[in-house]
Amino acid sequence: MTKIISGFSKMTKQEKIDWLVDNFFEKPILAKETLQQYWNSNRVLQELHDDFIENTVSNFYMPYGVAPNFVINDKAYVIPMVVEESSVVAAASLVAKFWSTRGGFKTTILGTTKVGQVHFMYKGDSEGLQFYFDKIKPQLLRATEAITKNMRKRGGGIIDIELRNKTHELAHYYQLHATFETKDSMGANFINSCLEAIANEFRRSDIEIVMSILSNYVPECLVRTEVQCPVDDLYKENAQYYAEKFVQAVNIANAEPHRAVTHNKGIMNGIDAVVLATGNDFRAVEAGVHAFASRSGSYKSLSNAEIKNGVFRFWMDIPLALGTVGGLTKLHPLAKLSLEMLQNPSAEELMQITASAGLAQNFAALRALTTTGIQKGHMKLHLNNIIKQLEASEKEKAFLIKYFENKTVTHNAVIEKYKEMKNFNL
Ligand code: MEV
């Protein structure tokens, strides 16, 4: 069977593509052309991207947009966003402008602690284990000294190591729960290296180390972002009514997981876009954020809203383990550019910026949902995509955009109008 192959990773890029298109595509030449279309003509740049992962055969472009007019802690930012959903950057820009004249976003770092664990099995008595741990703890820290040297110079390192008895959750299961400060780096490699050194030192014939790995659940690497203004400044008409409806929408997301997931997805539209643009790990952020949203035992809204003494306040606490050094942040030319656009923030500042982009997105979604509904704005933007699929000329495009200015956009309606326009030469 030619569809199973050994030694694939050792083949040249060209050989890989040949094998791939010959075995999995009905039109191999077309498939090859499509892959090659996205190669970068700058050889050095292409090689850089080839080396990010194994078996690279092409590049997958995502739009790189910018949302201007974000005011965060009285500082103006243009936020880079990498996202494919048509309404996201538009919504962020609109909301950023809106809040820029109402005091902007105010943020606070609530913590920067990260976590890693050595998971192990031990069948002896737990008191003996605790005695062994207390005795060996200074040695565990010493075993990481070479790894933590540079980090300690920057004010980071291992904060503490605890022995945790987890045998009530799983027979014979214990862990070394270590906490870290990783300053401007996300710290995954640093934490994992420390944990492996700790595990090696801790190992004993009656201790079976199962694994040593950081945790992407970082409830103590937390940032708060918030906006507030008098209710009357929030809407042009019926401000109290719509502000209360907005708060009710947040209450619903707190009460009902189905809604909470979509509510939080809207927040992640903003978060992921900035995380991607700055070369950070969006899977780690996603996993950690959703676990945090479930910390009470049921999945809830990440954001909160209230009206008190005529003032509307909207805020969110969100765990974000981000880095501005290490990883792809300086390696990917666009990630580097994004950080420069953000005035080379520290990791803490990047947490604040990213969280604000998320809150802005949530504000845009809730404001639309509780007033005009989401589809009006969405479909207006989607109109461009539909027109593109039709391969309409510039003149036809202008006609369709004008025609749908005050009409509801649906996929069918656009296609029908397009056909009609063609038939009647409108
Ligand atoms: C769409 O990407 C995001 C929304 O569904 C978020 C929400 O419902 O709050 C609009």
Side-chain angles (χ1 to χ4, degrees):
M1 187 167 163
T2 54
K3 292 195 176 185
I4 298 294
I5 187 165
S6 332
F8 186 71
S9 67
K10 306 236 161 37
M11 285 158 67
T12 65
K13 186 172 175 181
Q14 201 54 60
E15 285 167 345
K16 284 174 191 164
I17 292 175
D18 288 343
W19 178 82
L20 178 71
V21 298
D22 288 345
N23 285 288
F24 291 89
F25 289 87
E26 275 175 21
K27 294 181 179 164
I29 294 175
L30 188 66
K32 200 185 270 191
E33 273 170 14
T34 306
L35 289 172
Q36 287 179 354
Q37 232 168 39
Y38 287 91
W39 287 2
N40 201 298
S41 55
N42 177 332
R43 196 176 51 83
V44 177
L45 202 56
Q46 186 53 57
E47 280 172 8
L48 177 79
H49 283 73
D50 286 352
D51 289 345
F52 285 153
I53 59 165
E54 184 106 321
N55 300 341
T56 310
V57 289
S58 190
N59 306 303
F60 189 96
Y61 289 177
M62 291 270 278
Y64 180 103
V66 296
N69 298 321
F70 267 89
V71 175
I72 303 169
N73 300 334
D74 302 318
K75 189 166 162 184
Y77 292 92
V78 176
I79 300 190
M81 300 179 92
V82 171
V83 63
E84 86 301 343
E85 192 173 326
S86 50
S87 57
V88 170
V89 176
S93 310
L94 216 69
V95 168
K97 184 95 182 286
F98 177 88
W99 284 107
S100 71
T101 57
R102 291 164 177 79
F105 293 79
K106 299 283 185 245
T107 64
T108 321
I109 295 291
L110 302 173
T112 56
T113 302
K114 286 157 192 163
V115 170
Q117 297 163 324
V118 176
H119 305 270
F120 66 95
M121 298 311 198
Y122 171 73
K123 292 187 179 157
D125 78 291
S126 55
E127 274 172 29
L129 184 68
Q130 185 68 50
F131 182 76
Y132 170 63
F133 171 73
D134 291 339
K135 198 165 89 133
I136 204 173
K137 189 172 168 182
Q139 240 167 283
L140 300 182
L141 291 169
R142 259 199 307 280
T144 62
E145 269 174 9
I147 307 166
T148 59
K149 190 169 169 228
N150 282 336
M151 188 63 86
R152 279 184 282 124
K153 270 192 210 147
R154 292 192 269 140
I158 300 175
I159 301 169
D160 196 13
I161 311 173
E162 278 172 48
L163 171 69
R164 291 193 173 174
N165 183 338
K166 308 291 282 181
T167 51
H168 46 287
E169 270 121 25
L170 179 67
H172 315 305
Y173 170 38
Y174 292 83
Q175 58 182 224
L176 297 182
H177 181 96
T179 41
F180 298 84
E181 169 55 59
T182 61
K183 302 309 279 184
D184 285 336
S185 67
M186 190 264 194
N189 280 329
F190 169 75
I191 293 175
N192 290 335
S193 301
C194 287
L195 292 170
E196 288 187 6
I198 291 169
N200 274 337
E201 195 64 27
F202 188 65
R203 201 182 296 277
R204 221 169 57 170
S205 59
D206 56 350
I207 289 174
E208 191 203 339
I209 307 282
V210 179
M211 57 190 163
S212 309
I213 185 74
L214 92 166
S215 171
N216 291 122
Y217 184 45
V218 282
E220 283 162 13
C221 185
L222 201 62
V223 56
R224 171 169 298 168
T225 178
E226 60 185 288
V227 286
Q228 58 173 289
C229 73
V231 167
D232 288 341
D233 276 1
L234 205 54
Y235 299 92
K236 288 201 183 97
E237 283 164 24
N238 295 332
Q240 184 68 26
Y241 168 76
Y242 283 115
E244 280 172 20
K245 220 173 148 190
F246 189 105
V247 173
Q248 211 51 273
V250 176
N251 293 343
I252 289 170
N254 266 318
E256 158 57 41
H258 277 87
R259 173 56 202 151
V261 171
T262 317
H263 176 100
N264 290 345
K265 187 273 183 186
I267 293 170
M268 300 316 286
N269 277 344
I271 304 277
D272 282 343
V274 186
V275 172
L276 265 169
T278 55
N280 274 280
D281 181 343
F282 62 93
R283 288 88 54 211
V285 167
E286 281 279 347
V289 165
H290 296 298
F292 185 73
S294 314
R295 68 196 180 285
S296 66
S298 60
Y299 190 92
K300 287 181 181 294
S301 162
L302 290 160
S303 60
N304 308 278
E306 66 177 20
I307 300 169
K308 242 192 206 163
N309 305 324
V311 174
F312 167 84
R313 180 169 169 249
F314 183 46
W315 76 100
M316 166 171 79
D317 293 351
I318 189 165
L320 291 173
L322 300 176
T324 55
V325 298
L328 271 200
T329 54
K330 296 282 184 305
L331 215 56
H332 194 302
L334 281 173
K336 192 164 170 244
L337 183 110
S338 296
L339 291 170
E340 198 180 329
M341 192 185 305
L342 295 171
Q343 301 158 63
N344 291 317
S346 63
E348 290 191 9
E349 274 175 289
L350 186 59
M351 286 166 74
Q352 304 176 51
I353 295 164
T354 309
S356 302
L359 192 72
Q361 217 60 51
N362 191 213
F363 181 81
L366 295 182
R367 190 172 60 171
L369 285 167
T370 53
T371 54
T372 54
I374 206 83
Q375 280 313 88
K376 196 166 166 242
H378 254 218
M379 292 313 283
K380 275 258 138 55
L381 285 162
H382 194 48
L383 177 61
N384 280 328
N385 288 342
I386 304 173
I387 292 174
K388 252 192 210 104
Q389 281 166 17
L390 293 170
E391 294 181 359
S393 68
E394 280 306 310
K395 202 170 146 220
E396 290 164 347
K397 183 176 165 185
F399 175 87
L400 288 169
I401 288 175
K402 180 111 198 69
Y403 178 81
F404 281 100
E405 220 165 52
N406 300 311
K407 297 190 179 58
T408 309
V409 178
T410 67
H411 202 265
N412 259 352
V414 180
I415 290 177
E416 285 310 313
K417 193 70 209 168
Y418 178 70
K419 281 188 192 153
E420 189 186 316
M421 182 176 76
K422 286 272 194 212
N423 279 345
F424 295 101
N425 227 351
L426 288 175

